[in-house]
Amino acid sequence: MKFNQSNIKKAKKYLNKNTCIGVPTETVYGLAANAYSDLAVKKIFKLKKRPKTNPLIVHYANINDLKKDCVINEDFTKLYKKFSPGPITYILKLKKDSKISKSVTNKGKSLAVRFSKHKIFKKLLSQLSYPLAAPSANISTRLSAVQTSDVREEFGSKIKYILDGGKCKFGLESTIISLTNNPTILRLGVLETSKIEKVLNKKVSFKLNPKKKNAPGQSNLHYSPGIPLEMNVKKPKKNQAFLLIKKRKINFYNYFYLSKINNLSEAAKNLYTVLRKAKNKGFKSIGVEKINDTGVGRSINDRLKRASKL
Ligand code: TXA
Ligand code: MG
């Protein structure tokens, strides 16, 4: 995707007026607004229909800006050096004098922060005098958006501008790790946890399903195409879209490939697009072939499991 300063200028104009816009990242598209403005942040919750108890991720241009708002520690420094900018989100302690809007965290004491590697988004962030709160650009509980047309499908004319950054490189959300205490993974994502453990030189804990609904973390139904979804399907039902992970001879008309060669990164990249396509073609439900629960396959299965809660 070519970098275009006039688009960045437009994006800046909207953001400076406290308007929400769509932004590209290497994981999924975000719905962005000035994280220091209460007015702007409240618009994100409204547009996404997101419970205000569910805090937002804030995107920074660089570590010096982050240090104004958050307390960093040794684990953070190690991971930051190795993986940022990239598909990892850190939960850190908020500083008492931070300028982050109270609505971002629902008055909580920690903040989710990320440094994106997307060239165009990075350029935009570097030209702003504030960080951007940007959760995934989808209506709450629905499929994430991986290209501008998906963002448009979610919000229609309710959002004024989408900064085009092409199709997202990974197509799946960042891995979230809480570093306010012992390192704890809150959401599986693009970055494999084994790589995180290697850099920290210790085991991490997992807290993927918090008991309290809409508490920081994840609600159970999420990433849903809006129609029933079934995992580990061997043979699809009538009117069911069938998602495959490797090429095979089939005599159904209703199949879609996540990958033809069992490549899990490719499947992750195609996941939301294929789910969206199956839904839009009018199928009544979706069946997905068994996906290996290794590497990024674990993150894919995590999303499918939540999507199947409908
Ligand atoms: O790849 C990504 O992370 C994308 C791109 C746009 O950056 N963003 C994204 O944001 O997936 P969102 O809002 O859809 O998911 C963020 C998750 C939510 O489940 C939220 O509950 C959790 O992060 N979260 C945010 N702040 C938190 C906090 N202070 N403590 C614990 N969890 C938090
Ligand atoms: Mg989301």
Side-chain angles (χ1 to χ4, degrees), residues 145-162:
V146 298
Q147 53 196 338
T148 57
S149 57
D150 298 342
V151 183
R152 199 46 85 197
E153 197 174 294
E154 289 294 309
F155 299 105
S157 58
K158 285 194 184 138
I159 62 170
K160 300 273 188 310
Y161 188 66
I162 305 165

Side-chain angles (χ1 to χ4, degrees), residues 48 50 135-136 138 142 144 173 187 222-223:
K48 269 186 70 86
R50 182 171 176 124
S136 55
N138 54 276
R142 297 296 183 191
S144 301
E173 296 80 358
R187 177 176 74 186
H222 222 113
Y223 315 105

Side-chain angles (χ1 to χ4, degrees), residues 153-188:
E153 197 174 294
E154 289 294 309
F155 299 105
S157 58
K158 285 194 184 138
I159 62 170
K160 300 273 188 310
Y161 188 66
I162 305 165
L163 179 61
D164 193 352
K167 198 160 179 183
C168 298
K169 181 177 171 207
F170 295 117
L172 196 77
E173 296 80 358
S174 63
T175 301
I176 302 183
I177 183 161
S178 175
L179 299 173
T180 55
N181 256 308
N182 293 333
T184 306
I185 303 289
L186 302 184
R187 177 176 74 186
L188 300 176

